[in-house]
Amino acid sequence: MAFVILDPCRNEKSGECVTVCPVDCIEEGPEQFYIDPDVCIDCGACKAVCPVDAIVEEYDLEPEQETYLEQAEAFFAK
């Protein structure tokens, strides 16, 4: 499992998540940060420091939020 960054991050991009990630799996995209689902170790450090509660565990995604996981996968497929 991995964590996924949702819409509240858009245009916020405070970046605390990047500094606490022990495996450097979070990168900044044009509109928000993305977590690489293949590298994330599911430690939860990013979720704990997110000031806008934009980070959720993959298995907690609602069906309408699945696109955020797809966007992260596409971002890291480049």
Side-chain angles (χ1 to χ4, degrees):
M1 289 293 151
F3 281 86
V4 180
I5 299 176
L6 304 178
D7 191 57
C9 181
R10 290 191 185 274
N11 303 314
E12 170 64 32
K13 298 196 313 187
S14 59
E16 285 94 331
C17 57
V18 176
T19 60
V20 300
C21 181
V23 293
D24 296 325
C25 69
I26 305 173
E27 291 185 24
E28 185 174 359
E31 297 177 350
Q32 71 176 64
F33 286 97
Y34 295 99
I35 297 173
D36 187 335
D38 294 328
V39 178
C40 179
I41 59 171
D42 202 29
C43 70
C46 58
K47 181 176 175 59
V49 299
C50 182
V52 293
D53 294 322
I55 302 173
V56 298
E57 293 185 70
E58 180 180 342
Y59 62 82
D60 286 338
L61 289 173
E62 299 293 329
E64 65 274 6
Q65 296 172 324
E66 291 286 331
T67 58
Y68 293 99
L69 176 58
E70 294 166 6
Q71 289 170 7
E73 291 170 336
F75 179 81
F76 289 101
K78 57 180 174 163

